[in-house]
Amino acid sequence: MSNRQDADSSGHRAGPWWWIRHLKSTDSTQDQIFRMTKALIQPPGGTVVVADKQTKGRGREGRSWLSPVGGLYCSVLLRDEDLLARAGQDRARADRLAATLPLVAGLAVADVVESFGAKAEIKWPNDVMILERKLAGILCERKTDAKGETFTAVGIGMNLVKSPLETAAYLEEIVPALQRPITRDNILRRFLDSFAARLDRSDTAAEVDKRLYGRGRTARHEEKKVVIRGVSPQGALLVNTEQGVTEIISGEIIID
Ligand code: BTN
């Protein structure tokens, strides 16, 4: 990523798979991917859009994602055929991989943190926490392209330097002084290397379970009080309720 590109450039390869397009500014890297997939010439699977800043960064549940210069804001395009290839053409495995993409991306962010000798936790299913605060959020959106083929845009927002939000953590807080300053492109490279490797692994649920944030704590899910227990082999969140142990497969978990 040494040759910086502007919005009109065609991008460049990074590693065996990723095709990176670097924008100085965009509304949302997710929306940029969606626009690209509406064109006649389709972007390949493995296309990554990274922007210095976003003017309309989106989070989950219709929230906005504050995106000033200094953070990492990127979206990765994964086509269903890529997931099928990665799953050895086994459709059931590819479907499981598609369903666990937020967890896989979260683990890749945790790997970045761990590469600096620090510890990250995953707040199921989409957030990465350090120091009890949110370092990164992940937004996975599935759509169809101009040819009717399904793909997922995996959006990652990571705070690298002090965020204007007091409730957010930032990577520089846990990077040893000797390794500073950290660069956005170096973090992106580490993330992509790890993400590619983790897409080929079958231990995603167990790996998330090891790093699960909030185990044993009470939380709310759809107005119900639950106690967080762990992650099932399929990647669902296991919680205790008044009815016993239940699996949660989607929705927000609000930890008390
Ligand atoms: C969340 O925690 O609610 C998810 C936040 C996801 C933010 C990233 S930043 C890059 C990509 N583009 C967006 O507009 N959103 C995601």
Side-chain angles (χ1 to χ4, degrees):
M1 271 166 287
S2 49
N3 51 335
R4 285 170 73 85
Q5 320 262 342
D6 63 28
D8 296 316
S9 62
S10 58
H12 63 284
R13 280 262 165 224
W17 193 27
W18 308 117
W19 177 255
I20 299 182
R21 287 203 63 181
H22 173 203
L23 308 178
K24 290 197 166 102
S25 176
T26 188
D27 47 1
S28 154
T29 54
Q30 292 289 95
D31 294 336
Q32 184 68 31
I33 292 265
F34 300 149
R35 282 191 291 273
M36 290 162 80
T37 59
K38 289 295 167 212
L40 268 184
I41 299 174
Q42 283 294 306
T47 294
V48 179
V49 174
V50 56
D52 293 349
K53 66 172 181 178
Q54 299 182 116
T55 52
K56 281 191 190 145
R58 292 191 285 110
R60 292 190 310 280
E61 311 279 327
R63 290 187 289 261
S64 58
W65 183 263
L66 207 59
S67 313
V69 173
L72 169 65
Y73 317 110
C74 69
S75 295
V76 179
L77 167 65
L78 292 178
R79 297 186 169 280
D80 279 9
E81 68 195 43
D82 303 323
L83 300 181
L84 199 55
R86 295 227 157 210
Q89 303 301 323
D90 177 333
R91 176 74 58 187
R93 268 185 63 199
D95 288 348
R96 274 200 303 279
L97 183 55
T100 53
L101 280 176
L103 299 178
V104 178
L107 284 171
V109 172
D111 288 339
V112 172
V113 171
E114 286 164 20
S115 73
F116 289 106
K119 185 170 170 251
E121 291 177 299
I122 299 192
K123 180 170 171 288
W124 187 97
N126 300 81
D127 295 337
V128 182
M129 314 286 288
I130 58 171
L131 310 170
E132 285 283 320
R133 283 174 279 131
K134 180 162 162 172
L135 169 73
I138 290 147
L139 174 69
C140 289
E141 296 176 299
R142 267 169 88 69
K143 301 252 181 200
T144 45
D145 66 14
K147 294 182 176 148
E149 306 286 338
T150 315
F151 65 89
T152 306
V154 183
I156 299 101
M158 197 189 321
N159 306 313
L160 303 182
V161 294
K162 192 161 172 43
S163 154
L165 293 177
E166 286 301 319
T167 50
Y170 55 103
L171 190 65
E172 214 173 58
E173 281 184 275
I174 47 107
V175 173
L178 281 176
Q179 295 181 48
R180 290 183 188 145
I182 48 173
T183 70
R184 193 272 316 269
D185 288 352
N186 178 277
I187 300 304
L188 176 61
R189 182 66 61 100
R190 289 181 196 219
F191 168 78
L192 291 174
D193 284 350
S194 179
F195 191 43
R198 287 209 175 261
L199 283 169
D200 291 335
R201 287 170 58 165
S202 52
D203 57 353
T204 298
E207 286 280 288
V208 173
D209 189 63
K210 271 202 270 183
R211 298 169 177 82
L212 185 65
Y213 176 80
R215 194 190 309 271
R217 284 171 65 177
T218 54
R220 273 167 299 133
H221 176 250
E222 292 171 356
E223 309 298 319
K224 275 205 209 105
K225 195 175 155 190
V226 300
V227 178
I228 297 173
R229 285 292 166 230
V231 176
S232 80
Q234 289 72 37
L237 186 68
L238 295 172
V239 295
N240 273 4
T241 66
E242 281 168 5
Q243 285 75 44
V245 179
T246 308
E247 288 193 356
I248 294 177
I249 57 166
S250 63
E252 291 283 293
I253 304 292
I254 299 155
I255 299 182
D256 294 336

